[in-house]
Amino acid sequence: MSRKTILHMLTPLRQMSPFDVNMALDAGYDHVIPYTDVALADVTGLVQDAIFSRPPDAGTATGVFIAGRDTVLALDMIDAAKKAMVPPFGISVFADPAGSFTTAAAMVAKVEKALEKLHGRGLAGTKVAIFGATGVVGYCTAVISAKEGADVTLAGHDGVSRVGKIAEAIKARFGVTVKAADGSTDERKAALLQEAEVVLAAAKAGVRVITAEQLRSATNLLVAADVNAVPPSGIEGLAVNAKADKLGETSATGIGALTIGNLKYKTQSGLFKQMMGTEKPVVYDFQDAFALARSIEK
């Protein structure tokens, strides 16, 4: 008799996202159990309870999913879960706080595909400006893009202080360099847009960060992408269903939130399925999500 697949879903928040619960069940898990208000210090005990309650060969039938809204905390929880393993006991781990890991992966994969198809180039050496850079999606897109060789700038809507600290944290954790810039005024945004070849808008839902007027200064822009599906769009004139369509009065193309969301859905579902189908336990973060999203786009 085959073993039941069990997914333990951990979140530091008061509630587990129904989105993630539905995704896991639709991907094929037999049982999904949410744990809320989980602190970093709780991870070791929860993981060891999960691994020791089943035989070692049930590792791929048992998984831990890490949710929440904090990228750094999710990465720290992954590290804690890995350290909690006691070979030969082990289980699979996948983090996707607020869907940010798979959303960022899908966004960058879509942009990369558009650059290759329309301009015969990749991310390496491309000037990428990220607006909404203090959020979870912005953080992940910055790391993914920088690891692919892009020249990444984080635009701070409230000045350079917070994005500067994020840039330092990214350098310390991943060994890649990203720049921090002040994007707190229309003039400063316009200056950033004038230099950018790719613009990624990762601001909160319903927040417009770039207007059509500001886009007129983006004379070097090749591709823009926006993850905001709630009106108004993060980038004025970029439709939610845009699939590398012409963007307003610019010569650039735009990729909309629903187009990104479709790939995000496939990526999250695909990682859940991979967890259940591997011969040995696996650990997935946003870099693994990007690898899968990129393979889907090929």
Side-chain angles (χ1 to χ4, degrees):
M1 180 184 295
S2 61
R3 290 189 177 90
K4 296 290 187 181
T5 53
I6 301 173
L7 184 66
H8 303 280
M9 307 188 83
L10 317 184
T11 179
L13 304 178
R14 188 168 58 88
Q15 296 173 329
M16 178 59 67
S17 166
F19 185 101
D20 293 324
V21 173
N22 289 350
M23 287 290 295
L25 287 168
D26 285 344
Y29 273 98
D30 295 312
H31 302 288
V32 172
I33 302 95
Y35 303 75
T36 58
D37 294 312
V38 176
L40 178 59
D42 299 326
V43 172
T44 297
L46 290 168
V47 168
Q48 290 186 344
D49 274 357
I51 65 175
F52 290 139
S53 58
R54 308 186 89 181
D57 62 357
T60 57
T62 314
V64 166
F65 178 80
I66 297 169
R69 293 199 188 101
D70 187 321
T71 301
V72 174
L73 178 57
L75 293 171
D76 288 343
M77 285 185 165
I78 287 179
D79 290 342
K82 288 163 65 176
K83 291 175 182 176
M85 305 298 176
V86 183
F89 294 91
I91 57 178
S92 293
V93 181
F94 170 28
D96 196 15
S100 61
F101 286 11
T102 48
T103 298
M107 180 185 238
V108 180
K110 282 287 183 184
V111 168
E112 181 184 58
K113 181 66 175 290
L115 285 171
E116 291 173 349
K117 182 178 180 180
L118 301 174
H119 304 284
R121 60 188 290 181
L123 287 162
T126 299
K127 294 180 179 179
V128 177
I130 301 175
F131 293 80
T134 57
V136 284
V137 175
Y139 182 105
C140 299
T141 55
V143 177
I144 294 170
S145 300
K147 277 183 165 288
E148 292 304 311
D151 180 357
V152 179
T153 298
L154 309 179
H157 74 278
D158 54 358
V160 77
S161 177
R162 283 206 297 161
V163 288
K165 291 177 182 177
I166 291 170
E168 291 173 2
I170 287 174
K171 176 68 173 179
R173 187 158 206 149
F174 296 99
V176 293
T177 299
V178 301
K179 302 172 186 175
D182 188 344
S184 61
T185 67
D186 290 345
E187 293 75 19
R188 286 169 175 158
K189 283 183 185 179
L192 291 171
L193 289 169
Q194 192 169 18
E195 296 294 322
E197 294 171 304
V198 168
V199 167
L200 306 178
K204 292 179 180 179
V207 175
R208 172 155 292 159
V209 291
I210 299 172
T211 65
E213 178 64 29
Q214 290 163 349
L215 277 176
R216 292 191 181 97
S217 64
T219 53
N220 294 309
L221 186 62
L222 302 174
V223 182
D226 180 16
V227 296
N228 176 20
V230 179
S233 58
I235 300 175
E236 187 173 7
L238 206 170
V240 292
N241 58 353
K243 299 178 180 178
D245 300 329
K246 186 176 184 303
L247 177 59
E249 298 177 11
T250 74
S251 59
T253 54
I255 301 170
L258 295 186
T259 299
I260 294 168
N262 183 51
L263 180 56
K264 174 262 188 303
Y265 181 93
K266 292 177 182 177
T267 302
Q268 184 173 358
S269 178
L271 289 175
F272 279 136
K273 290 175 181 177
Q274 284 185 186
M275 285 172 69
M276 291 181 285
T278 58
E279 293 183 1
K280 296 181 179 180
V282 292
V283 178
Y284 293 142
D285 64 12
F286 59 83
Q287 297 172 94
D288 303 287
F290 178 60
L292 179 56
R294 176 189 252 174
S295 71
I296 294 171
E297 278 297 282
K298 292 299 183 183

